[in-house]
Amino acid sequence: MTFGIISAMTEELELLLKEMNIEEKTTKANMTFYKGTLGDKNIIAVVCGIGKVNAAICSQILISEYKVSSIINVGVAGGIGKDIYPGDVVIGTDLVEHDMDTSAFGDPVGQIPRLDTFSFKCDENLVKAALNAANEIKEINSFTGRIVSGDQFIANIDKIKWLSETFDAISCEMEGASIAHVCYLNNIPCVVIRSISDNANNGAHMDYEKFMPIAIRNSTTILKNMLKTL
Ligand code: ADE
């Protein structure tokens, strides 16, 4: 069993890489794939870059070339809703690409046209394992629910309201749904674990800088604890 671990940015993966026993480093599609182990688990860890295209390319390489058995996406995200604060952790139950819009043809916004699913589900066992790992750390509040992704940094209160009302989303980021989409097409289990860096409101870019370190610490801690149980 090999776990593919994707983060969008170097900062999001560096705590994990520090603890990983790295055996091999390979660059493909301008992305560095770190092959090695963490405890007794085989891992390929990679920084994919920001946005849905980078995340999709990276996921397909992990599946086709590294033959990973599942993909875990970790990093930071914007929180949606007044009860979710920076540092909290969200675990995706399913994901939607919020910027996909063929509503002119009568499709709901978010629906990939001609695909037999609206949202991309995370693997139930991986979600459970992530939630159990999160629940063991009393200082971290965790939530499960729908995460939406798009090629947009959300920093607007009206947009958050729209994401909440349209998708019933608890969090927004820029890669998770794309990773889950690729996993769906390849029938590979995945889970998205994100820690909140901001509330996607008008000051989001400032909160993002401030809370990023704690958010990364929290998502990495949960990932490490979760891997021990798999
Ligand atoms: N990642 C972290 N915060 C985000 C936000 N507000 N919008 C999109 N992606 C994010």
Side-chain angles (χ1 to χ4, degrees), residues 98-113:
H98 68 73
D99 53 355
M100 170 57 79
D101 184 354
T102 56
S103 56
F105 293 97
D107 296 328
V109 177
Q111 172 69 48
I112 312 290

Side-chain angles (χ1 to χ4, degrees), residues 10 36-37 55-56 74 82 84 89 119 168 171 182 223:
T10 317
T37 52
V74 277
K82 59 176 175 31
I84 300 190
V89 165
S119 70
D168 197 22
S171 171
V182 174
L223 171 66

Side-chain angles (χ1 to χ4, degrees), residues 76-78 152-154 172-174 197-198 200 204 208:
V76 298
Q152 298 161 1
F153 183 83
I154 307 295
C172 59
E173 36 84 312
M174 301 177 72
S197 56
D198 57 84
Y208 178 80

Side-chain angles (χ1 to χ4, degrees), residues 2-230:
T2 301
F3 298 93
I5 296 174
I6 302 180
S7 290
M9 302 182 294
T10 317
E11 305 91 289
E12 292 173 308
L13 201 67
E14 69 191 355
L15 291 181
L16 191 85
L17 286 178
K18 268 190 199 146
E19 298 197 20
M20 219 180 123
N21 170 37
I22 298 168
E23 292 157 6
E24 192 186 295
K25 239 172 90 174
T26 317
T27 302
K28 289 174 197 277
N30 204 34
M31 299 167 194
T32 307
F33 292 78
Y34 298 88
K35 183 168 190 265
T37 52
L38 188 73
D40 59 352
K41 299 297 179 317
N42 294 321
I43 282 173
I44 313 284
V46 52
V47 174
C48 70
I50 294 169
K52 302 204 311 297
V53 173
N54 284 325
I57 291 170
C58 182
S59 305
Q60 193 61 54
I61 292 174
L62 281 174
I63 295 167
S64 301
E65 301 198 25
Y66 290 94
K67 314 284 180 212
V68 296
S69 29
S70 57
I71 294 184
I72 304 169
N73 173 218
V74 277
V76 298
I80 298 177
K82 59 176 175 31
D83 298 328
I84 300 190
Y85 294 101
D88 292 350
V89 165
V90 291
I91 299 157
T93 47
D94 66 338
L95 293 98
V96 176
E97 292 166 35
H98 68 73
D99 53 355
M100 170 57 79
D101 184 354
T102 56
S103 56
F105 293 97
D107 296 328
V109 177
Q111 172 69 48
I112 312 290
R114 304 181 187 203
L115 198 64
D116 60 353
T117 186
F118 175 68
S119 70
F120 301 103
K121 292 193 179 31
C122 289
D123 178 76
E124 268 177 35
N125 290 330
L126 291 176
V127 171
K128 261 188 219 149
L131 190 59
N132 287 340
N135 285 340
E136 269 176 23
I137 307 162
K138 294 283 163 277
E139 308 80 64
I140 303 179
N141 281 329
S142 50
F143 297 84
T144 51
R146 177 174 288 166
I147 299 175
V148 289
S149 315
D151 288 326
Q152 298 161 1
F153 183 83
I154 307 295
N156 179 302
I157 199 130
D158 294 330
K159 186 85 191 213
I160 310 170
K161 199 163 168 268
W162 179 80
L163 291 174
S164 167
E165 286 170 2
T166 310
F167 301 107
D168 197 22
I170 60 166
S171 171
C172 59
E173 36 84 312
M174 301 177 72
E175 297 82 20
S178 152
I179 292 167
H181 184 164
V182 174
C183 286
Y184 176 78
L185 297 179
N186 289 272
N187 203 18
I188 292 280
C190 75
V191 68
V192 177
I193 305 166
R194 298 270 183 160
S195 182
I196 300 304
S197 56
D198 57 84
N199 280 99
N201 52 20
N202 297 50
H205 60 292
M206 288 187 298
D207 286 346
Y208 178 80
E209 300 292 344
K210 181 168 164 200
F211 294 114
M212 171 112 82
I214 169 100
I216 291 169
R217 220 179 319 135
N218 288 353
S219 54
T220 309
T221 304
I222 287 171
L223 171 66
K224 282 191 321 195
N225 286 358
M226 171 196 175
L227 279 171
K228 284 185 202 150
T229 69
L230 293 175

